[in-house]
Amino acid sequence: MPQSATLITDPSPAPLSGDVSFTPSCHGLLDLLLAVCDGRSDQGRDHPVAVVLALVAAATVAGLKGYTAISGWVADVPAEILDGLYLRVEARPAGRPSRSTLWRVCTDTDGDVLDAVIAEWTTAQRTSTGEQAPTSTDTVTQVRLDGKTVRGAVNADGEQLHLLSALAGSPGPDPAALVIAQAPTDGAKTREPETARALLETLDLRGVTITADALHTVKATAELIHRQGGHFVLPVKENRPALFEALDALPWATTVIGYESTEAGHGRSTRRTIRVLPAPAGLPFPHVNQVWLIERYVTGSDGKQSAAAQLGVTSHPADAAGPAEIAAFNRGQWSIESLHFIRDTCYREDHSRVRTRSGPRVLASLRNLAINALRLAGRTDITEATRWANRNMTRPFTILGLTG
C-alpha cells in the first residue's frame, strides 16, 4: 500500500474538548483491519482479528501498556460498543476476548500488513478533514527518519527488535507530526540505511524533504531521494571521512552567519547559528547544492557554557531553501526523538517484557496509531491525552472512528 508523504501535512484539526465528534472516512480503521491476518483459520474462530486489534488499539489510545492491563480494560468496554464491532465485520458477538486471545492475535499478526493499514488510515483521516491534498508546490513537508530499539524485546537469539520510523509534518519542531511508515531492520542498527531505502520507495517523495541522522548520509539514499523527486538535509560526521574532511576544510571562519536564533527554557539559554555555502566542486556526495555549518551555544543558569557544531549537506538550491529553512529542517529532525520519548515515557516501551514473535512490533505499531489518532484529534500532550481518553470508555473508540 504505497503512501503519499504529502497527504498528512498541516494544519491540524482544532483541539477537541469533552466528548469527541469524529466522522470516519471511507477508509475506516475496522474495514482496513480486515486485511490483517494472524495465520489462524476462520473456521471455529469466535474473535475476528480485526475486532481484537481494534480493541487493543482503543486500549492503547487509553494509555494501557501490556496484555494483562489491556485485557482488564477490554473487560469494561460497554456491551453495545463491543457487539457493534463484531456486527460491523459480519460476525456474531462472542463476548469479550480473553487475555490469551489478545496475546495470540498480537503475537501472530502480520506486522508488515498492520503497518501498511495504519499508514493508510492515517493518510485517510488527514484528508477527511475537508482539506485538499497538497501538491508538491502547495506546501513543504518534512519526513524524519530514525530508528528505535525496543530494549525489552529480546528474542531467543538475544537480539533486540529495532524499528525504523518515518514521521511526517511541517518543517521544524512539529508536535503534530504523524508516523506514516515503520519497518524492522534486518539485524543490527547499522542496517538502518538499507531499511530506510526500502521504506522510502513506498512513499511519494515529490516535494518532500528527508532528514535523518548521520548514519543515513549515504550516496545510495541520496540517489533514491533525488530519483523520486525529493530533497535531503543530512548531517555529516566522521563516519564519512572524505566528505567530512571536504566540508571541514571550507572557509567557515570567514563565512557570514546566515541565520541565528536564541531561546530560553529548562534553565538554560541556547543560541543557534548557521552558515551556508554553495557546494564546492568535486564534493564526494551526489546532488548537493549547498553545504552548511550549524553551531549551538548553551548557557546554563549557573553560567556554565557549552558549544557544539555540526556540518551538513542539502540538495535544496539556495532559491528554494535559505539558511533559515535549512536550520528549521535540522531542528525538525528532533520531532522524531520526541516520538520515541513518548513511547518510552508514556507507554514505557523500553521496560516492556513483551517479546514473543510479532507481539513487540504489533504493540509498537499500535502505539504509533494511538499517538497519530490523538494528534489528529488535536491533542499533542500525549500523556495527558491518554488519561483524558481513559476517563470515558467511548472516547478511544470515537477517536479511532470505531463507533457508529
Side-chain angles (χ1 to χ4, degrees):
M1 299 181 188
Q3 302 298 317
S4 172
T6 63
L7 291 182
I8 60 171
T9 51
D10 59 0
S12 295
L16 303 175
S17 60
D19 292 331
V20 182
S21 176
F22 188 98
T23 302
S25 76
C26 58
H27 298 276
L29 180 60
L30 196 59
D31 294 332
L32 292 171
L33 287 174
L34 290 171
V36 182
C37 177
D38 68 345
R40 294 183 297 157
S41 169
D42 288 337
Q43 185 173 2
R45 183 170 59 187
D46 292 327
H47 305 286
V49 174
V51 172
V52 174
L53 290 177
L55 289 168
V56 177
T60 306
V61 170
L64 281 300
K65 303 171 182 66
Y67 296 126
T68 299
I70 291 170
S71 64
W73 188 87
V74 168
D76 290 334
V77 172
E80 61 272 19
I81 292 179
L82 189 66
D83 291 349
L85 294 176
Y86 284 88
L87 294 172
R88 285 171 61 191
V89 298
E90 300 181 351
R92 174 185 291 184
R96 303 172 193 281
S98 65
R99 181 191 182 281
S100 63
T101 299
L102 300 177
W103 174 86
R104 187 168 57 250
V105 171
C106 289
T107 56
D108 289 332
T109 285
D110 186 323
D112 290 337
V113 176
L114 179 61
D115 280 327
V117 161
I118 291 170
E120 183 169 344
W121 181 85
T122 299
T123 299
Q125 299 317 305
R126 194 60 176 181
T127 56
S128 71
T129 61
E131 303 166 16
Q132 295 296 316
T135 66
S136 59
T137 57
D138 288 333
T139 188
V140 179
T141 303
Q142 178 177 0
V143 172
R144 305 128 172 105
L145 300 176
D146 195 31
K148 181 184 184 299
T149 299
V150 184
R151 302 192 184 281
V154 183
N155 64 19
D157 297 325
E159 297 175 339
Q160 295 174 312
L161 176 67
H162 190 80
L163 296 169
L164 180 78
S165 298
L167 185 77
S170 301
D174 183 2
L178 304 172
V179 179
I180 59 168
Q182 178 179 265
T185 61
D186 182 14
K189 176 180 171 65
T190 52
R191 301 291 296 274
E192 261 191 39
E194 296 176 28
T195 304
R197 289 192 291 276
L199 184 150
L200 289 173
E201 286 178 344
T202 69
L203 303 177
D204 180 357
L205 300 184
R206 290 172 294 178
V208 173
T209 298
I210 305 298
T211 60
D213 60 33
L215 182 63
H216 295 271
T217 306
V218 178
K219 293 179 182 179
T221 302
E223 292 282 9
L224 185 147
I225 293 169
H226 176 77
R227 187 167 62 248
Q228 293 189 205
H231 286 283
F232 57 80
V233 176
L234 297 170
V236 176
K237 293 185 177 180
E238 290 89 340
N239 63 326
R240 300 286 178 260
L243 182 58
F244 180 84
E245 290 170 8
L247 298 188
D248 194 42
L250 294 174
W252 297 113
T254 57
T255 301
V256 298
I257 294 174
Y259 175 78
E260 67 177 280
S261 63
T262 302
E263 63 180 29
H266 305 287
R268 61 181 180 267
S269 173
T270 304
R271 176 173 173 257
R272 295 179 177 86
T273 66
I274 181 170
R275 306 167 196 261
V276 180
L277 290 170
L283 199 66
F285 201 80
H287 310 300
V288 177
N289 284 305
Q290 299 181 87
V291 297
W292 46 267
L293 168 67
I294 290 177
E295 295 172 299
R296 185 177 73 250
Y297 304 92
V298 180
T299 303
S301 57
D302 57 0
K304 291 183 179 180
Q305 296 182 325
S306 63
Q310 184 181 75
L311 294 165
V313 295
T314 179
S315 60
H316 279 294
D319 59 354
E325 288 75 25
I326 296 171
F329 284 125
N330 180 265
R331 286 204 65 195
Q333 175 63 17
W334 288 98
S335 292
I336 198 164
E337 298 291 344
S338 175
L339 169 73
H340 296 164
F341 181 78
I342 290 168
R343 280 169 45 178
D344 280 341
T345 55
C346 179
Y347 289 105
R348 297 184 63 78
E349 186 168 273
D350 277 354
H351 292 81
S352 174
R353 290 298 178 262
V354 173
R355 61 185 64 184
T356 306
R357 296 189 294 276
S358 61
R361 179 181 177 183
V362 167
L363 293 187
S365 298
L366 293 176
R367 290 171 193 133
N368 286 339
L369 171 62
I371 293 167
N372 282 356
L374 289 167
R375 287 178 171 177
L376 285 166
R379 299 297 299 258
T380 57
D381 51 338
I382 301 300
T383 300
E384 178 55 36
T386 58
R387 297 178 186 133
W388 165 76
N390 200 13
R391 288 195 290 268
N392 183 324
M393 288 296 291
T394 64
R395 278 181 186 152
F397 295 96
T398 307
I399 289 169
L400 292 169
L402 294 171
T403 58

